[in-house]
Amino acid sequence: MHKFEFVNRNYEMLEQQEKPKQFTYSDEKDHKKKPRWRKFTLTVSVLALFIIGIAVYFAKRENHSIVTETAGSGADKMPGNGNGSTSEKTPSGQLPAAGLSAEFEPEVMNEGAKASYKLALEVKGENQFAASAEIDVTNTSETNWNNLSVYFFPNQFGDLARDQCRRKIVTFAVDKCLQEIGEGETAIEKVTFNGEELPYDLQGVQLKVPLKLALSTGKSGKLAITYTFSLPGNLIENDEYNLLQWHPILPGYEREWLLHPLAIGKDTYSSFPSDITFSYNLPGKMQVVTSGTEPDSQSSSDTVAGKNLKEMFVMILNRHQMIKAQAGETEIRIFATAKQKAQAAEALKTAKEAVAFFEKKLGGYPQQQLDIVLTETRQGNYPGVILQPGTIVEDKFSYFETNESQEHLLVHQIAQQWFYGNVHFERHTDLWLNDGLSELAASLFFLVGKKKSEEESFAFAKKFNEFSIMREEVKSNMPADQYVGSFGGIVGHVQAKPAILLWELIKPYGDETALAFLSDYLKTYSGKKLATIEFIHFAKDYLKVDNHAFTGWLHYNPYSDYDMSDFYNL
């Protein structure tokens, strides 16, 4: 069971005099939704706080020139976050030694399901694909299953692309975009379970298959799906096909399937590590880049495999050149067009330095091979594969420019290979455990590995600092779809805020302790599932701080009904 002792059953922080009581994650399903009037009150309150925040922001800017930061080694006081949180000093006046206590025991979560995949893909013609997926599933939850539900993204490839077009302001730009996007269609041919064809319900990205007989705890079965699909125009570039989440993905299970709504600008679906085998058949001289390990010279048909993968990402390239290098035990390959030759060389240099640094400081790379594909504008991070754009498109929902550099973006995406590749969590609510910790690791790479100043190393995160990330009502572990409308957007609150506040917490111990903290976190939770509340459990023990170090920027209740959607829809 998943027991925790430092908050009560309402996920509220314990007072000094309260006695800790164990409770489990199962309690969250018993919470009642808040009455409608409370949501209305919340909306009015947040609006008022927003107006006050703007006034405070400009006041702070006016007084900024006369406000100075206390200089020194930082060993006298552990920085807090406005709540008076300090680390207890030892009798000698020194900070207590950082590190996990001998009594610390991690409390991790059950995935609720186990799976292995056998996938197949054939290119039937220009932008025409035939696919099949066999998923051997095992029920490891405490509940019998009366249905199987999976993510099935091909059903919405076209819709999601057209939604992006409709966000354009000028009518002719919308029409032009829709014309260029095209359709992007999918058709399911057959769904079977243990060889028996079954009806199914396909709504959005969720494919639900009712079972004739419930699959009880500990039992297994085989789900098989055959289908065809095509891609919208925005996923085709330089004769390359970006298949994104092309195959069915089984989510975790906790009394229900953990299928979450999509969020703008971030991948927030989650699955658990599985063994995946992938067979393909390509025409001509096309080449495939996958999450598995493949040889440099490829045939038109082959099979690749990967262990402990959360998905099998696939990209089909045409006429791309490859350069590669070795960093420790990891092979790094860069795929680029002829006109991207200079960018490819620079990307390989940066990747080699970053991978070597992270392997030394954080532990071994989760895969054997890291493939980096240079694109025009698309970026993305998947098991063993990174998409690095030639032109970085600003997050239009953060409401100010960040001017992110190519080097920073690539290092951040490489760090994500550790923090999402090794550890599992629900990205819909705990995305910061990937983006925030990766941003801290990337900043430490520039500080320690590249010997840059602290100002330069944390420059990207600190651009969000003065106003956007200091708003305590916008936490870093809210549901991902609720950041639309917040100043700083999902990047500011999920990526920048955690990196800055954790660095302020650890800085008195030094940069090497910060890297050791991240390394020990990965060692503790590698191959396991956790939530924000368990990270707090870990960090409190490691850094010897109290609850107040986190209450300003994290929700203790990962299952809260907290909802600001009414405010953002005003």
Side-chain angles (χ1 to χ4, degrees):
M1 301 298 288
H2 320 300
K3 299 181 177 63
F4 297 88
E5 295 186 341
F6 55 93
V7 293
N8 63 24
R9 287 183 178 271
N10 293 322
Y11 295 92
E12 297 165 343
M13 188 174 56
L14 291 174
E15 298 297 337
Q16 294 286 345
Q17 69 275 14
E18 287 190 271
K19 183 179 180 181
K21 293 182 180 180
Q22 287 192 337
F23 67 98
T24 73
Y25 265 108
S26 62
D27 294 318
E28 93 282 354
K29 296 299 178 184
D30 301 326
H31 290 325
K32 305 291 186 182
K33 287 193 72 66
K34 297 179 181 178
R36 187 72 180 177
W37 67 268
R38 293 191 65 184
K39 287 191 175 183
F40 176 78
T41 303
L42 176 63
T43 298
V44 174
S45 300
V46 170
L47 185 58
L49 286 171
F50 180 74
I51 294 171
I52 293 170
I54 292 175
V56 172
Y57 168 65
F58 285 107
K60 287 174 69 176
R61 286 179 62 90
E62 189 173 325
N63 294 322
H64 182 68
S65 59
I66 60 173
V67 178
T68 57
E69 185 175 339
T70 302
S73 66
D76 297 327
K77 180 178 180 181
M78 177 72 76
N81 55 10
N83 291 310
S85 172
T86 59
S87 180
E88 294 291 337
K89 289 183 178 180
T90 62
S92 63
Q94 299 298 314
L95 287 169
L100 291 176
S101 64
E103 299 78 23
F104 179 81
E105 293 185 9
E107 301 288 353
V108 297
M109 303 169 70
N110 180 13
E111 301 284 4
K114 185 179 179 182
S116 63
Y117 295 75
K118 183 179 180 181
L119 309 173
L121 179 73
E122 182 178 3
V123 180
K124 305 293 286 186
E126 184 177 350
N127 194 21
Q128 297 294 324
F129 304 92
S132 65
E134 294 182 359
I135 309 175
D136 290 312
V137 299
T138 301
N139 183 352
T140 63
S141 73
E142 299 177 355
T143 308
N144 295 340
W145 298 346
N146 58 17
N147 73 84
L148 289 172
S149 293
V150 298
Y151 283 110
F152 191 76
F153 285 95
N155 188 50
Q156 282 207 310
F157 279 165
D159 289 340
L160 294 173
R162 287 185 284 275
D163 283 345
Q164 292 182 357
C165 290
R166 295 184 184 105
R167 294 192 188 105
K168 297 181 181 295
I169 299 174
V170 184
T171 303
F172 76 82
V174 174
D175 294 339
K176 183 172 183 274
C177 180
L178 289 172
Q179 185 176 6
E180 292 174 348
I181 288 296
E183 293 301 321
E185 303 290 347
T186 187
I188 294 179
E189 296 177 349
K190 184 188 291 187
V191 176
T192 66
F193 184 69
N194 290 336
E196 182 179 3
E197 187 169 357
L198 295 176
Y200 58 87
D201 180 33
L202 181 58
Q203 299 288 336
V205 297
Q206 179 178 349
L207 175 63
K208 182 177 181 180
V209 184
L211 301 178
K212 289 186 176 181
L213 295 175
L215 191 66
S216 56
T217 301
K219 299 298 183 181
S220 302
K222 184 187 296 290
L223 176 67
I225 306 170
T226 56
Y227 56 102
T228 60
F229 67 96
S230 61
L231 299 175
N234 68 320
L235 297 181
I236 305 171
E237 178 183 283
N238 294 328
D239 294 326
E240 64 190 32
Y241 295 99
N242 180 359
L243 301 190
L244 290 179
Q245 301 80 30
W246 66 279
H247 66 83
I249 298 174
L250 188 72
Y253 187 92
E254 176 63 34
R255 296 196 181 182
E256 61 184 6
W257 292 104
L258 300 177
L259 293 154
H260 301 295
L262 304 181
I264 296 174
K266 290 288 185 179
D267 289 329
T268 56
Y269 61 94
S270 297
S271 186
F272 45 84
S274 303
D275 294 345
I276 305 178
T277 301
F278 168 60
S279 301
Y280 62 88
N281 191 348
L282 309 177
K285 295 183 179 181
M286 287 183 168
Q287 58 187 140
V288 66
V289 174
T290 77
S291 295
T293 302
E294 59 264 354
D296 296 340
S297 58
Q298 300 178 9
S299 61
S300 59
S301 61
D302 203 350
T303 298
V304 298
K307 291 185 176 296
N308 297 319
L309 298 176
K310 295 179 180 177
E311 62 182 295
M312 177 63 76
F313 178 81
V314 174
M315 195 163 188
I316 299 174
L317 308 179
N318 196 8
R319 300 190 300 274
H320 279 60
Q321 300 173 358
M322 184 197 72
I323 57 175
K324 67 177 183 176
Q326 194 77 19
E329 300 296 319
T330 306
E331 182 183 54
I332 305 171
R333 306 190 303 175
I334 309 288
F335 294 86
T337 61
K339 67 180 182 180
Q340 294 171 315
K341 186 176 181 180
Q343 185 191 354
E346 191 64 29
L348 185 61
K349 178 177 178 292
T350 299
K352 186 176 178 181
E353 291 174 349
V355 170
F357 178 83
F358 290 142
E359 281 195 339
K360 179 180 179 181
K361 300 295 186 179
L362 302 181
Y365 176 65
Q367 312 296 332
Q368 293 180 334
Q369 197 175 69
L370 173 61
D371 290 336
I372 301 172
V373 181
L374 303 189
T375 68
E376 290 184 0
T377 59
R378 292 198 307 273
Q379 67 183 64
N381 198 300
Y382 310 93
V385 183
I386 290 172
L387 305 186
Q388 177 74 4
T391 301
I392 298 176
V393 179
E394 292 281 349
D395 176 14
K396 63 186 73 173
F397 299 102
S398 67
Y399 301 104
F400 63 88
E401 294 184 358
T402 59
N403 299 314
E404 184 174 14
S405 69
Q406 289 281 343
E407 184 182 31
H408 174 270
L409 176 61
L410 182 55
V411 172
H412 174 79
Q413 293 204 101
I414 290 172
Q416 286 182 317
Q417 294 284 315
W418 270 262
F419 289 97
Y420 186 59
N422 269 335
V423 182
H424 185 215
F425 40 85
E426 293 298 319
R427 290 195 289 183
H428 181 65
T429 48
D430 292 320
L431 183 63
W432 79 273
L433 289 171
N434 180 18
D435 289 22
L437 297 184
S438 296
E439 183 60 32
L440 177 58
S443 300
L444 291 169
F445 164 76
F446 291 115
L447 183 67
V448 178
K450 301 287 285 185
K451 307 298 182 184
K452 293 187 177 184
S453 68
E454 181 180 339
E455 182 179 356
E456 291 176 299
S457 301
F458 286 84
F460 178 82
K462 287 187 176 182
K463 287 178 183 176
F464 293 86
N465 195 356
E466 280 199 4
F467 173 68
S468 65
I469 72 164
M470 297 311 292
R471 291 173 53 199
E472 292 191 357
E473 76 274 13
V474 185
K475 307 296 187 183
S476 292
N477 61 329
M478 286 164 42
D481 54 321
Q482 293 183 12
Y483 289 99
V484 176
S486 63
F487 193 78
I490 194 169
V491 175
H493 295 289
V494 170
Q495 181 174 330
K497 180 189 289 185
I500 289 175
L501 295 181
L502 280 173
W503 172 238
E504 289 179 355
L505 201 61
I506 308 174
K507 182 179 175 180
Y509 289 103
D511 45 42
E512 288 296 338
T513 297
L515 287 164
F517 172 86
L518 295 176
S519 175
D520 289 341
Y521 163 82
L522 291 172
K523 290 176 184 175
T524 302
Y525 299 104
S526 180
K528 302 178 178 68
K529 182 178 182 179
L530 76 157
T532 292
I533 197 170
E534 173 59 14
F535 176 88
I536 295 172
H537 178 207
F538 171 86
K540 282 179 57 183
D541 188 274
Y542 201 101
L543 301 173
K544 319 307 183 221
V545 294
D546 61 26
N547 294 313
H548 289 92
F550 309 99
T551 51
W553 56 285
L554 291 174
H555 281 308
Y556 271 62
N557 179 1
Y559 307 99
S560 173
D561 291 327
Y562 178 79
D563 186 358
M564 296 183 69
S565 58
D566 289 341
F567 168 73
Y568 295 139
N569 290 331
L570 289 176

Short mmCIF file of all heavy atoms in Angstrom, two decimals, residues 67 84-85 113 203-204 221 224 249 261 316 330 344 353 368 371 408 445 448 486 492 504 511 525 557 561 569:
data_model
loop_
_atom_site.label_atom_id
_atom_site.label_comp_id
_atom_site.label_asym_id
_atom_site.label_seq_id
_atom_site.Cartn_x
_atom_site.Cartn_y
_atom_site.Cartn_z
N VAL A 67 16.65 47.48 -3.72
CA VAL A 67 16.60 46.23 -2.97
C VAL A 67 17.83 45.41 -3.30
O VAL A 67 18.12 45.17 -4.46
CB VAL A 67 15.33 45.43 -3.33
CG1 VAL A 67 15.34 44.10 -2.58
CG2 VAL A 67 14.09 46.22 -2.94
N GLY A 84 8.85 31.50 5.59
CA GLY A 84 9.70 31.41 6.78
C GLY A 84 10.33 30.05 6.96
O GLY A 84 10.72 29.69 8.04
N SER A 85 10.44 29.27 5.87
CA SER A 85 10.99 27.92 5.98
C SER A 85 12.50 27.97 6.06
O SER A 85 13.16 28.51 5.19
CB SER A 85 10.57 27.09 4.78
OG SER A 85 11.22 25.86 4.78
N ALA A 113 -1.22 -2.15 -13.81
CA ALA A 113 -1.24 -2.96 -15.03
C ALA A 113 0.19 -3.24 -15.46
O ALA A 113 1.13 -2.54 -15.08
CB ALA A 113 -2.01 -2.25 -16.14
N GLN A 203 -13.75 7.40 -28.69
CA GLN A 203 -14.12 8.78 -28.43
C GLN A 203 -12.84 9.59 -28.22
O GLN A 203 -12.11 9.37 -27.25
CB GLN A 203 -15.01 8.89 -27.18
CG GLN A 203 -16.32 8.14 -27.27
CD GLN A 203 -17.31 8.81 -28.21
OE1 GLN A 203 -17.22 10.02 -28.46
NE2 GLN A 203 -18.24 8.04 -28.75
N GLY A 204 -12.59 10.55 -29.12
CA GLY A 204 -11.37 11.34 -29.00
C GLY A 204 -10.15 10.45 -29.10
O GLY A 204 -9.98 9.72 -30.07
N GLY A 221 -4.29 -11.35 -20.61
CA GLY A 221 -4.98 -11.53 -21.88
C GLY A 221 -4.28 -10.77 -22.98
O GLY A 221 -3.35 -9.98 -22.72
N ALA A 224 -5.64 -7.15 -29.38
CA ALA A 224 -5.07 -6.98 -30.72
C ALA A 224 -5.91 -5.98 -31.51
O ALA A 224 -7.15 -6.06 -31.52
CB ALA A 224 -5.00 -8.31 -31.45
N ILE A 249 -1.56 2.94 -26.64
CA ILE A 249 -0.72 3.03 -25.44
C ILE A 249 -1.60 2.73 -24.23
O ILE A 249 -2.60 3.40 -24.00
CB ILE A 249 -0.09 4.42 -25.31
CG1 ILE A 249 0.83 4.70 -26.52
CG2 ILE A 249 0.70 4.53 -24.01
CD1 ILE A 249 1.38 6.12 -26.54
N PRO A 261 -7.10 14.32 -20.05
CA PRO A 261 -7.31 15.22 -21.19
C PRO A 261 -5.98 15.78 -21.70
O PRO A 261 -4.99 15.83 -20.96
CB PRO A 261 -8.19 16.33 -20.61
CG PRO A 261 -7.95 16.29 -19.14
CD PRO A 261 -7.69 14.85 -18.81
N ILE A 316 10.00 8.34 -39.81
CA ILE A 316 10.48 7.82 -41.09
C ILE A 316 11.12 8.95 -41.87
O ILE A 316 10.48 9.98 -42.15
CB ILE A 316 9.32 7.19 -41.88
CG1 ILE A 316 8.71 6.03 -41.08
CG2 ILE A 316 9.80 6.71 -43.24
CD1 ILE A 316 7.47 5.43 -41.71
N THR A 330 27.10 5.42 -24.34
CA THR A 330 25.96 5.82 -25.17
C THR A 330 26.39 6.24 -26.56
O THR A 330 27.29 7.08 -26.72
CB THR A 330 25.20 6.99 -24.51
OG1 THR A 330 24.85 6.63 -23.18
CG2 THR A 330 23.95 7.33 -25.29
N ALA A 344 24.02 20.38 -37.38
CA ALA A 344 24.22 19.00 -36.94
C ALA A 344 25.53 18.84 -36.19
O ALA A 344 25.60 18.17 -35.14
CB ALA A 344 24.18 18.06 -38.14
N GLU A 353 28.82 16.44 -24.92
CA GLU A 353 29.20 17.03 -23.64
C GLU A 353 28.12 16.78 -22.58
O GLU A 353 28.43 16.42 -21.44
CB GLU A 353 29.42 18.53 -23.81
CG GLU A 353 30.64 18.89 -24.63
CD GLU A 353 30.74 20.40 -24.88
OE1 GLU A 353 29.76 21.12 -24.60
OE2 GLU A 353 31.81 20.84 -25.37
N GLN A 368 20.55 2.49 -24.90
CA GLN A 368 21.88 2.31 -25.46
C GLN A 368 22.18 3.35 -26.53
O GLN A 368 23.35 3.62 -26.84
CB GLN A 368 21.99 0.90 -26.09
CG GLN A 368 21.93 -0.22 -25.06
CD GLN A 368 22.04 -1.58 -25.72
OE1 GLN A 368 21.69 -1.76 -26.88
NE2 GLN A 368 22.53 -2.55 -24.97
N ASP A 371 19.08 9.12 -30.41
CA ASP A 371 18.94 9.68 -31.75
C ASP A 371 18.37 11.09 -31.67
O ASP A 371 17.34 11.32 -31.00
CB ASP A 371 18.01 8.81 -32.61
CG ASP A 371 18.65 7.47 -32.97
OD1 ASP A 371 19.90 7.39 -32.96
OD2 ASP A 371 17.91 6.52 -33.25
N HIS A 408 20.50 25.54 -24.96
CA HIS A 408 19.69 25.28 -23.77
C HIS A 408 18.59 24.27 -24.05
O HIS A 408 18.37 23.35 -23.26
CB HIS A 408 19.08 26.57 -23.22
CG HIS A 408 18.14 26.33 -22.08
ND1 HIS A 408 16.78 26.10 -22.26
CD2 HIS A 408 18.36 26.22 -20.74
CE1 HIS A 408 16.22 25.88 -21.10
NE2 HIS A 408 17.13 25.95 -20.16
N PHE A 445 24.32 21.74 -15.46
CA PHE A 445 25.28 21.41 -16.52
C PHE A 445 26.05 22.65 -16.94
O PHE A 445 27.28 22.63 -17.08
CB PHE A 445 24.56 20.79 -17.71
CG PHE A 445 25.39 20.78 -18.98
CD1 PHE A 445 26.41 19.85 -19.16
CD2 PHE A 445 25.16 21.71 -19.98
CE1 PHE A 445 27.19 19.84 -20.32
CE2 PHE A 445 25.93 21.71 -21.15
CZ PHE A 445 26.95 20.77 -21.31
N VAL A 448 28.23 23.83 -13.66
CA VAL A 448 29.34 22.96 -13.25
C VAL A 448 30.12 22.45 -14.46
O VAL A 448 31.36 22.47 -14.47
CB VAL A 448 28.81 21.77 -12.42
CG1 VAL A 448 29.96 20.84 -12.03
CG2 VAL A 448 28.07 22.26 -11.20
N SER A 486 -2.62 31.54 -17.53
CA SER A 486 -1.75 32.00 -16.45
C SER A 486 -0.51 32.65 -17.04
O SER A 486 0.07 32.15 -18.01
CB SER A 486 -1.34 30.83 -15.54
OG SER A 486 -0.60 29.87 -16.27
N GLY A 492 6.49 28.31 -17.53
CA GLY A 492 6.91 29.08 -16.37
C GLY A 492 6.67 28.37 -15.06
O GLY A 492 7.52 28.36 -14.17
N GLU A 504 17.24 27.38 -4.88
CA GLU A 504 17.33 28.23 -3.70
C GLU A 504 17.39 27.38 -2.42
O GLU A 504 18.07 27.74 -1.46
CB GLU A 504 16.13 29.18 -3.64
CG GLU A 504 16.17 30.28 -4.69
CD GLU A 504 14.96 31.18 -4.62
OE1 GLU A 504 14.06 30.89 -3.81
OE2 GLU A 504 14.92 32.18 -5.37
N ASP A 511 26.72 23.24 -5.44
CA ASP A 511 26.23 22.64 -6.68
C ASP A 511 26.43 21.13 -6.74
O ASP A 511 25.62 20.41 -7.33
CB ASP A 511 26.87 23.32 -7.91
CG ASP A 511 28.37 23.53 -7.75
OD1 ASP A 511 29.05 22.63 -7.25
OD2 ASP A 511 28.86 24.61 -8.13
N TYR A 525 14.10 6.09 -7.19
CA TYR A 525 12.81 5.88 -7.85
C TYR A 525 12.93 5.31 -9.27
O TYR A 525 11.92 5.24 -9.97
CB TYR A 525 12.02 7.19 -7.87
CG TYR A 525 11.73 7.70 -6.48
CD1 TYR A 525 12.45 8.76 -5.94
CD2 TYR A 525 10.77 7.08 -5.68
CE1 TYR A 525 12.21 9.22 -4.66
CE2 TYR A 525 10.53 7.51 -4.39
CZ TYR A 525 11.25 8.58 -3.88
OH TYR A 525 11.02 9.01 -2.61
N ASN A 557 -2.23 17.68 -2.16
CA ASN A 557 -3.23 16.72 -2.63
C ASN A 557 -3.15 16.60 -4.14
O ASN A 557 -3.60 17.48 -4.87
CB ASN A 557 -4.63 17.18 -2.22
CG ASN A 557 -5.71 16.23 -2.70
OD1 ASN A 557 -5.41 15.20 -3.34
ND2 ASN A 557 -6.95 16.54 -2.41
N ASP A 561 -9.73 18.77 -6.32
CA ASP A 561 -10.74 19.25 -7.25
C ASP A 561 -10.49 20.71 -7.64
O ASP A 561 -11.32 21.32 -8.31
CB ASP A 561 -12.14 19.16 -6.62
CG ASP A 561 -12.57 17.72 -6.45
OD1 ASP A 561 -12.18 16.91 -7.29
OD2 ASP A 561 -13.27 17.43 -5.46
N ASN A 569 -12.03 30.92 -18.58
CA ASN A 569 -13.03 31.02 -19.63
C ASN A 569 -13.82 32.33 -19.59
O ASN A 569 -14.71 32.55 -20.40
CB ASN A 569 -14.02 29.85 -19.53
CG ASN A 569 -13.36 28.54 -19.92
OD1 ASN A 569 -12.42 28.52 -20.72
ND2 ASN A 569 -13.82 27.44 -19.35
#
